[in-house]
Amino acid sequence: MAYLPSQMTLLEALATVIGTAAIAPALLILWLVVAAGDNSGPPLKIWTAFLLGAASVLLLGIVRIPFQHVGLSLENPWVAQAVRALFTVALPEEIAKVAVIAALWSRRRQVGNAMDTVFYGAAVGLGFAAYENLAYLVQHAEMWRSLAILRSVLTVPFHGALGIIAGAYLAIARTSTALGANRHNRDWARMSSWALVLAAPVALHAAFDYPLLLLQRASNLDPTSRLWLGGVSVLIGFSSIGLAVRLVRRVAHHHTPRTEVAKARLSQLRRMWALLLLGGAAGFIGLGFVLTSIRHWLLNPDRNVAGVLVPLGLTAILLGVALLIVTTTIYVFGRNRMRTTA
């Protein structure tokens, strides 16, 4: 997409190939998390959590105000970057995400819905990652292809994992007795779980960003040191994903569907999520084709390509709308049938 200017706005990029490359990994990972789970939450609320996670970026300006002068007087670059990773990056971002997760959790206080909090955490983290990914790709539009691949492999799953960790510790703190935690000291385990809701994501986020900030700021590092710093960041990223998987299994072990009706409902929800993903992707790609073609038609005197791309885009939009309608129909009729069977 050579005609895309590097100073394009987020709104302009959203309906282009860059927008698709930025958002698609987060949507795919969200579908994989929901499909792999044993008790996924209501799809509408998970989509709402995803959108609120993206919107939580708007809170960062407010959350960062108390920390904007922290560490400015430090001269040691190693200490200065550690303070920046903790107070400028990790703490404000995780406060914004945890605030959204807590707001969603406050509307779901039943103990039997502990897994819902985990899915909401994943959706919030991935929504945040989608917005951040879009901003990074637009900022570096000249190298967006390689950057999209690198971020989709680690950074996007990492943000999703941090959301899962916050949601899982919130679920464990809320249902610590049911999960078997604190057999010897239930009160201490409950309090520690409450603390880890924010402390664990912040610590992991700061540890992940610290080597990367050093790589950006310290230009005099030798290749071996750069390799070690990059390796440490990758190790922390994948370790965080592993911790998220472990916590999901711990929570899910006590909330697996036990009846045939519940298992049938789970299977139906997974099919519905697949259709939602396909429908949303087809509609989004179609809209991108149409808007990109219109933009190309206005800026380029050779306007033949738009005549091909616009029909393709409209076809993709119609396909996406049809899949969404089918999905909604399956969900409504299936839900009513499940209730009647129950």
Side-chain angles (χ1 to χ4, degrees):
M1 305 294 291
Y3 61 90
L4 289 175
S6 59
Q7 53 269 66
M8 68 193 309
T9 65
L10 291 178
L11 186 60
E12 291 173 338
L14 187 61
T16 63
V17 176
I18 290 182
T20 304
I23 297 174
L27 292 177
L28 177 60
I29 295 171
L30 178 60
W31 175 72
L32 291 174
V33 170
V34 173
D38 291 322
N39 191 8
S40 58
L44 179 60
K45 293 185 178 181
I46 292 181
W47 281 117
T48 301
F50 182 86
L51 295 176
L52 289 176
S56 68
V57 178
L58 302 176
L59 296 175
L60 286 179
I62 300 174
V63 177
R64 279 178 174 155
I65 291 176
F67 309 106
Q68 57 185 352
H69 299 299
V70 176
L72 294 181
S73 59
L74 296 174
E75 297 182 359
N76 189 315
W78 294 81
V79 178
Q81 295 310 316
V83 172
R84 183 188 174 201
L86 178 60
F87 292 102
T88 305
V89 181
L91 188 58
E93 291 187 6
E94 297 309 318
I95 288 176
K97 288 187 285 186
V98 169
V100 175
I101 298 171
L104 292 167
W105 163 79
S106 65
R107 302 175 61 87
R108 304 285 293 179
R109 288 187 175 273
Q110 296 87 351
V111 173
N113 294 318
M115 279 301 296
D116 288 359
T117 309
V118 177
F119 289 115
Y120 295 155
V124 169
L126 290 171
F128 183 93
Y131 186 97
E132 185 185 67
N133 215 22
L134 179 64
Y136 268 98
L137 297 192
V138 171
Q139 185 179 359
H140 304 283
E142 71 282 356
M143 53 179 294
W144 70 268
R145 293 174 180 84
S146 57
L147 192 61
I149 294 173
L150 290 174
R151 290 184 61 84
S152 64
V153 171
L154 180 57
T155 308
V156 174
F158 175 71
H159 276 291
L162 294 182
I164 290 175
I165 291 169
Y169 276 121
L170 189 57
I172 292 171
R174 183 180 60 180
T175 60
S176 57
T177 303
L179 291 177
N182 315 316
R183 290 188 179 92
H184 301 291
N185 194 333
R186 295 178 179 178
D187 292 336
W188 165 250
R190 185 179 291 107
M191 288 189 294
S192 63
S193 296
W194 281 115
L196 288 171
V197 170
L198 181 62
V202 168
L204 292 170
H205 196 160
F208 176 79
D209 279 352
Y210 178 56
L212 299 179
L213 291 174
L214 286 175
L215 288 175
Q216 292 177 1
R217 300 293 177 176
S219 57
N220 56 345
L221 291 175
D222 59 273
T224 303
S225 299
R226 288 183 166 275
L227 183 62
W228 272 103
L229 288 173
V232 168
S233 182
V234 171
L235 178 62
I236 293 172
F238 283 111
S239 298
S240 302
I241 296 171
L243 174 61
V245 172
R246 181 177 178 274
L247 289 174
V248 168
R249 290 179 176 176
R250 179 181 173 185
V251 177
H253 177 71
H254 296 270
H255 296 275
T256 303
R258 308 296 182 185
T259 65
E260 293 299 325
V261 173
K263 292 179 180 179
R265 178 178 178 274
L266 173 62
S267 178
Q268 179 179 322
L269 285 175
R270 286 174 175 172
R271 290 195 299 270
M272 184 182 62
W273 266 102
L275 289 173
L276 274 173
L277 183 69
L278 291 174
F284 183 81
I285 293 172
L287 182 63
F289 266 120
V290 172
L291 296 182
T292 303
S293 301
I294 293 174
R295 186 172 184 274
H296 184 80
W297 186 80
L298 292 174
L299 297 179
N300 198 321
D302 183 14
R303 300 175 176 177
N304 298 326
V305 178
V308 178
L309 293 182
V310 169
L312 288 176
L314 292 175
T315 302
I317 291 175
L318 292 175
L319 177 61
V321 171
L323 285 172
L324 291 175
I325 292 174
V326 170
T327 301
T328 304
T329 304
I330 292 174
Y331 176 71
V332 172
F333 284 97
R335 181 182 59 181
N336 293 338
R337 186 182 62 178
M338 289 296 174
R339 289 176 177 176
T340 303
T341 304

